[in-house]
Amino acid sequence: MRSTFFGLETARRALAANQRAMDVAGHNIANANAPGYTRQQPVLSATAPYTLPSFVRPAGAGQVGTGVAVMEIRRLQTDLLATQSRQVASELGTWASRDEALSQLGAIVNEPGESGLHSLFDAFWGAWHALSTNSADPALRSGCLGGALALCDGLRRLAQQVESMQAAADQALEAEVAAVNSLACRISELNDQIRSVTQLGDSPNDLLDQRDLLLAELASAADIRVREHADASVTVTIGGFELVQQFGLNELATRADPSTGFREVIWAGHDLTASLSEGRLAGIVEMRDGIYGSFLGDLDQLASGLVAAVNGLHQAGFDANGLPGGEFFDSGSLGARDIRLSSAVIADLSAIAASSTGDPGDGGNAVAIARLEDEALASLGGLSLAGFYRSVVSSLGSRAREAERAMATQELLARQISNQQAAVGGVSLDEEMIRLMEHQHAYNAAARLLTVMDEMLMTLIDSLGAGT
Amino acid sequence: MGGDVMRVTWGMMVDNLLAGMSGAASRIQRYQTQLATGRRVNQPSDDPIGVIRILALRSGIERAQTYLDNVAQAREWMTVSETALQRAGSVMAQAKECAQRGASGVLTADGRRAIALEVSGLIDELLAVANTSYLGRYVFAGTDNDAAPFALTGEPPTAWTFSGNAGELRWDIEPQTDMVVNTPGEAVFGGVEGPFAALIRLRDDLLAGNVTALAAEDLSLIDSAQTVVLNALGSLGANSRRLDQAGARLEHLHQAFVESLSGYEDVDMAEAIINLELAESAYGAAQGVAARLVRPTLVDLLR
């Protein structure tokens, strides 16, 4: 025997479930353009059926449905895509730093331009060639001095510019570590909130979205590994070190490396600079040490090769007064950043040793120095000075081009993955509108059901009850 | 709903569109830079291998110009030397004529003295020739060339001194190739059988009336001095031909370098303009799509 009021409850459930579904559609529509938002889906399911007892068959005459309920509000996210997207973000972070460093370096090297270092070398050798034809001419001597001063200035300026970019990269490391810590801190807070919601048996969809967004940001800064626990909290590791733990976090810090003077990234006292593989942090370290640092090293090698080669010949010659030549470049300089001429040459033009015999008219030593232009130097790996510089510029160009292309590829990959994520988890307004309509109609129908029930009960109560 | 059809959301379309637009915009910028500078390679990454060639070719052009300057200077130096040696040759020719006249038996002592006076003039002229300078440098003084190398001693002069040296002026006229541009003064003008010796002896014999010596030894002395001068002229001529050839080679090299530099460095205008137009039309198309994408959605239709 069924209950007289049985249908009322079924209609109520239908009203509630469809209203809930419309709320979810509304939430989706509201967040259609919110970054990191994942579309949610109500999972409607029939509630447990009711078995009608009967006289002949106490159980089994047929089960009666009891209506519908929203069992769960599902978040349409695939973990695999999230992991992939984080990996791509890390690689993109590295390449972005590389690309930035290399294109800045390309801009200040300014080759092949008329004001680049290469043309200063050309002018320097040209001045020695000119001096060789008339070594007593003060105008040619001062031309030679001018060419050498311009070359020194050019080398110093280039080295100093790269050094200041290197220092800026070192500072950026500090800022990046602070950003990583702030992200880690927020992820850890979300961990706690998510855990408490999950323990109540609910799915904290929006909190999970927020955490995924922060994890994606963190991934572009460092190559993180994310491990999810049963209570839905995550552990985040960088290079094997736990940044965010299941309970609490352990922040990164920086300290100055006593040998280089540059910052290193530390975690609980461990230097993890070398364990950083991808991401902006690793990119900045590579930018500072591998790109700017190695370019400065190349410039220093070039400068000391120049100083040694020219001084060696200069000291074998004779100056305008017939005296043995001294240093042309100051051999006390440490490299490109402080290359300078010897004080004797700056003080007196006649100290330039252009003669190989001591006769004022002889320009043999100037010829010998001018010929250094094409001479292979052992200290430069068998390349000439200009050849070495050209190979440095060319490898800079190749690396910059590689970075540009890798950036483009990674961006494309990132977009593909984000499209795939959007295909699963993105909000489609058209779809939501249809869902809205669907549930609206269902809601209307349920309301109609209630009216019918109401009329039925009226018939029952009013017609039968009034007859007494 | 087809299961294998990818869900496409509005956000995806916008993202893709923005990426396409910024890609097209950066291509437009690249081709505009190429057209504005006229250069295909504006930074090392534009062509990492080409940049090596471009820099090397620029050095090559600069250096070819340097060597051409050296060749021009050497040519001037050698022309000055050549003119001087030709004058010395004509001095010796006149001296020979004086010797022949002086050797004539019909001449009086006064007549010979007059010729001796003429020869004294020739000695002075020879001194001027031997001390020829070019832009303050004495061409026959070797590498010690900032002062006049030859001087006469005695009045009338009986000897000469040479204060220069036998140093060679070696200038690079081609890569790693030098050439001696100066003529050794002492070897040409000095020496016991050189022009100075011959002229002084001729003058003395004329004054002394030493007719036999004038007819024989003096003449042969003048001839051999003349030969020394002519030999010096000959080797100058050979060097000057070498200089011409080097100059021609350098001109050719310079031209070749300029042409290949232009090939590596200069932008192909037609190609760059076409590329720019392609990029611009892609950009325009993306803008067109953007305008259509902001179309009404189902939201507008369901009223």
Side-chain angles (χ1 to χ4, degrees):
Chain A
M1 181 65 202
R2 69 181 287 275
S3 155
T4 313
F5 303 105
F6 183 77
L8 283 179
E9 176 60 15
T10 307
R12 190 200 64 76
R13 285 184 181 177
L15 285 175
N18 283 301
Q19 196 169 16
R20 189 81 189 276
M22 282 192 281
D23 287 344
V24 173
H27 188 52
N28 281 342
I29 291 167
N31 283 293
N33 290 327
Y37 180 78
T38 307
R39 102 180 136 109
Q40 298 176 9
Q41 204 178 39
V43 180
L44 270 64
S45 174
T47 46
Y50 176 63
T51 306
L52 287 176
S54 77
F55 288 119
V56 276
R57 285 191 306 182
Q63 293 186 319
V64 174
T66 55
V68 67
V70 175
M71 295 301 169
E72 165 189 22
I73 295 175
R74 208 162 59 191
R75 178 166 166 267
L76 283 121
Q77 166 75 306
T78 56
D79 289 341
L80 180 64
L81 283 176
T83 310
Q84 278 183 355
S85 133
R86 283 196 289 268
Q87 273 168 6
V88 170
S90 294
E91 281 166 37
L92 189 59
T94 324
W95 283 112
S97 300
R98 277 189 200 133
D99 183 53
E100 184 195 341
L102 289 164
S103 68
Q104 276 184 356
L105 209 48
I108 67 156
V109 164
N110 192 20
E111 297 287 4
E114 263 101 26
S115 57
L117 197 58
H118 202 264
S119 61
L120 294 177
F121 265 108
D122 283 347
F124 176 71
W125 302 122
W128 282 104
H129 273 293
L131 184 61
S132 74
T133 61
N134 190 355
S135 59
D137 189 340
L140 293 181
R141 278 178 178 269
S142 72
C144 180
L145 181 75
L149 283 174
L151 181 60
C152 288
D153 282 350
L155 270 166
R156 274 203 310 269
R157 199 168 47 238
L158 195 55
Q160 283 162 2
Q161 278 173 330
V162 177
E163 270 185 338
S164 72
M165 294 197 308
Q166 197 182 22
D170 192 44
Q171 277 181 356
L173 193 64
E174 181 84 54
E176 200 60 52
V177 164
V180 164
N181 283 340
S182 143
L183 287 170
C185 186
R186 285 157 66 194
I187 290 170
S188 178
E189 282 166 14
L190 279 167
N191 258 351
D192 294 341
Q193 294 176 24
I194 287 169
R195 183 183 306 110
S196 57
V197 176
T198 312
Q199 279 164 351
L200 292 176
D202 284 335
S203 171
N205 291 335
D206 298 317
L207 297 178
L208 289 173
D209 281 347
Q210 278 181 39
R211 193 178 64 189
D212 275 358
L213 195 61
L214 294 176
L215 284 171
E217 264 183 66
L218 189 58
S220 75
D223 186 17
I224 53 168
R225 294 278 171 274
V226 178
R227 193 157 49 88
E228 195 168 337
H229 299 282
D231 62 2
S233 65
V234 289
T235 299
V236 181
T237 55
I238 297 181
F241 300 98
E242 284 191 354
L243 179 68
V244 178
Q245 294 153 334
Q246 188 177 5
F247 301 95
L249 78 160
N250 209 334
E251 293 190 335
L252 300 182
T254 59
R255 69 170 175 220
D257 180 345
S259 60
T260 61
F262 286 127
R263 291 175 173 87
E264 56 187 15
V265 181
I266 53 166
W267 179 89
H270 298 284
D271 177 12
L272 55 74
T273 315
S275 333
L276 299 168
S277 54
E278 297 284 352
R280 273 198 309 276
L281 268 180
I284 289 170
V285 171
E286 186 187 325
M287 182 183 200
R288 183 190 71 192
D289 303 342
I291 296 174
Y292 296 145
S294 79
F295 185 76
L296 280 172
D298 289 341
L299 279 186
D300 285 346
Q301 203 181 342
L302 181 68
S304 43
L306 174 73
V307 169
V310 172
N311 277 358
L313 285 174
H314 196 258
Q315 284 167 315
F318 295 89
D319 69 10
N321 302 319
L323 300 169
E327 283 183 351
F328 185 75
F329 291 105
D330 189 338
S331 64
S333 71
L334 299 168
R337 72 209 66 185
D338 64 345
I339 186 173
R340 57 190 179 265
L341 297 186
S342 74
S343 48
V345 169
I346 293 175
D348 187 2
L349 282 178
S350 64
I352 297 175
S355 164
S356 56
T357 59
D359 295 322
D362 181 62
N365 208 36
V367 174
I369 291 176
R371 282 184 178 185
L372 270 179
E373 180 179 20
D374 298 317
E375 200 161 302
L377 300 178
S379 66
L380 301 179
L383 292 170
S384 67
L385 288 157
F388 178 78
Y389 178 68
R390 283 195 293 270
S391 79
V392 169
V393 168
S394 172
S395 89
L396 179 65
S398 318
R399 292 177 70 187
R401 175 172 257 213
E402 190 200 348
E404 263 170 41
R405 286 183 178 163
M407 266 280 281
T409 312
Q410 293 292 329
E411 272 173 357
L412 194 69
L413 208 57
R415 208 163 56 244
Q416 272 174 4
I417 291 177
S418 118
N419 277 348
Q420 281 172 9
Q421 279 183 311
V424 179
V427 175
S428 158
L429 287 179
D430 294 347
E431 208 174 274
E432 297 305 327
M433 289 311 291
I434 291 168
R435 294 263 173 270
L436 204 56
M437 264 182 1
E438 204 175 71
H439 292 297
Q440 194 187 0
H441 283 304
Y443 184 89
N444 289 347
R448 183 80 194 137
L449 177 65
L450 205 58
T451 319
V452 171
M453 284 292 171
D454 185 39
E455 282 169 5
M456 186 190 82
L457 288 174
M458 201 140 53
T459 311
L460 187 70
I461 297 167
D462 287 358
S463 310
L464 295 179
T468 45
Chain B
M1 222 164 49
D4 53 350
V5 176
M6 191 174 178
R7 273 183 83 243
V8 177
T9 68
W10 201 71
M12 285 157 73
M13 288 194 277
V14 170
D15 280 353
N16 289 346
L17 188 69
L18 284 176
M21 276 170 94
S22 75
S26 81
R27 279 198 298 282
I28 289 178
Q29 197 214 5
R30 182 161 80 233
Y31 296 124
Q32 273 178 347
T33 310
Q34 284 190 357
L35 285 169
T37 58
R39 287 200 190 132
R40 190 178 63 85
V41 182
N42 288 292
Q43 48 189 359
S45 61
D46 288 341
D47 185 353
I49 304 302
V51 77
I52 293 191
R53 303 237 167 85
I54 289 169
L55 290 175
L57 284 168
R58 285 220 186 131
S59 288
I61 291 169
E62 172 109 10
R63 205 53 65 235
Q65 195 54 56
T66 307
Y67 290 128
L68 279 170
D69 289 349
N70 284 4
V71 164
Q73 269 212 55
R75 187 173 286 130
E76 283 176 41
W77 182 281
M78 283 162 69
T79 308
V80 169
S81 306
E82 207 171 343
T83 314
L85 288 175
Q86 278 163 357
R87 268 179 72 196
S90 93
V91 164
M92 295 319 289
Q94 288 174 51
K96 189 173 181 182
E97 191 203 314
C98 290
Q100 282 162 346
R101 276 193 284 138
S104 157
V106 295
L107 217 58
T108 62
D110 279 349
R112 290 209 182 81
R113 206 164 291 125
I115 299 173
L117 212 59
E118 208 177 310
V119 173
S120 291
L122 290 179
I123 293 174
D124 287 342
E125 191 178 345
L126 188 67
L127 180 68
V129 166
N131 281 337
T132 300
S133 71
Y134 169 63
L135 298 177
R137 290 192 288 166
Y138 293 86
V139 295
F140 297 115
T143 54
D144 191 4
N145 54 18
D146 51 353
F150 287 96
L152 294 171
T153 53
E155 190 53 50
T158 51
W160 74 96
T161 56
F162 177 71
S163 58
N165 62 18
E168 292 173 329
L169 289 180
R170 287 183 172 272
W171 296 353
D172 271 6
I173 53 162
E174 281 183 278
Q176 311 292 324
T177 309
D178 56 16
M179 192 176 88
V180 178
V181 297
N182 65 329
T183 306
E186 193 173 22
V188 175
F189 295 102
V192 283
E193 295 194 336
F196 277 117
L199 290 185
I200 288 170
R201 174 110 183 246
L202 172 62
R203 186 204 59 202
D204 290 350
D205 282 341
L206 281 168
L207 288 176
N210 197 346
V211 182
T212 34
L214 283 171
E217 294 155 36
D218 288 4
L219 263 184
S220 74
L221 207 55
I222 288 169
D223 276 344
S224 64
Q226 175 83 305
T227 310
V228 172
V229 170
L230 290 179
N231 284 347
L233 262 176
S235 81
L236 259 184
N239 268 351
S240 124
R241 273 193 299 284
R242 219 187 116 197
L243 213 53
D244 287 343
Q245 285 162 0
R249 275 199 296 274
L250 287 168
E251 291 280 7
H252 179 75
L253 205 61
H254 187 268
Q255 186 58 31
F257 282 168
V258 168
E259 276 169 19
S260 19
L261 179 63
S262 150
Y264 274 113
E265 191 178 45
D266 292 355
V267 74
D268 180 340
M269 283 293 174
E271 195 186 315
I273 288 169
I274 288 170
N275 282 337
L276 180 64
E277 280 180 1
L278 284 176
E280 276 174 349
S281 71
Y283 190 64
Q287 282 175 324
V289 171
R292 287 179 57 184
L293 194 63
V294 194
R295 78 199 193 286
T297 61
L298 208 51
V299 182
D300 304 277
L301 302 176
L302 297 173
R303 284 183 205 281

